[in-house]
Amino acid sequence: MDKRGQLISLDVVLSLVLLTFALAYAFRVAETNFYVLKQEELTYETKAVGSAAAELLVTVPETTCEVTTLTGENFHITNCIDTAKLSSATFSFDKLGIDTSRFDARIEWSAGSIGNPVPTDKTIYSEKRVVIIKPGGLTKSDLEACFSGSTCTEETITIYVWRR
């Protein structure tokens, strides 16, 4: 019998085994790259939602201090947080642009907090802002005293955002 046919068969079998290993390795590398890209996308989305929420926290009327004037033309001051509004039962993180069906959040300041506890097993985006914190609104005289530096103190408020 000719041994040449057996060698060709053995070459084909070894080639198929090597091809299978090469394809399995290529699929594993592709799957790993896809997973890394998906994680980066989720992290970026959480960062975008958290950053937007931090900006809205210090600018929207639902959280900022309202200044009452004698003329009745009240206005809101950015970077002045009314903690009474944050602590009220009507406050919702939806007002900060957070889709509460997909994300969760917490806001902390020196004298209090609102929201769920920060988890330890999730990717969390946090941002700190230096603000003036007042429980309730301001009057014009409060604002003038604040500008002179006698009644208002700076404080840090932190917002945490994570995926549910």
Side-chain angles (χ1 to χ4, degrees), residues 6 18 43 129:
Q6 289 177 347
L18 290 175
T43 301
R129 295 289 179 112

Side-chain angles (χ1 to χ4, degrees), residues 1 3 6 10 26 38 42 62-63 70 72 93 97 99 102 119 124-125 134 137 150 155 158:
M1 283 212 132
K3 292 188 179 189
Q6 289 177 347
L10 190 58
K38 187 66 174 172
L42 295 175
E62 288 84 0
T63 59
L70 297 175
F93 285 105
D99 180 3
R102 296 176 48 220
I124 300 164
Y125 176 80
K134 287 282 190 181
S150 61
E155 195 170 328
T158 307

Side-chain angles (χ1 to χ4, degrees), residues 71-84:
T71 61
E73 296 179 19
N74 299 347
F75 60 94
H76 290 86
I77 299 179
T78 60
N79 295 318
C80 178
I81 304 296
D82 184 347
T83 55

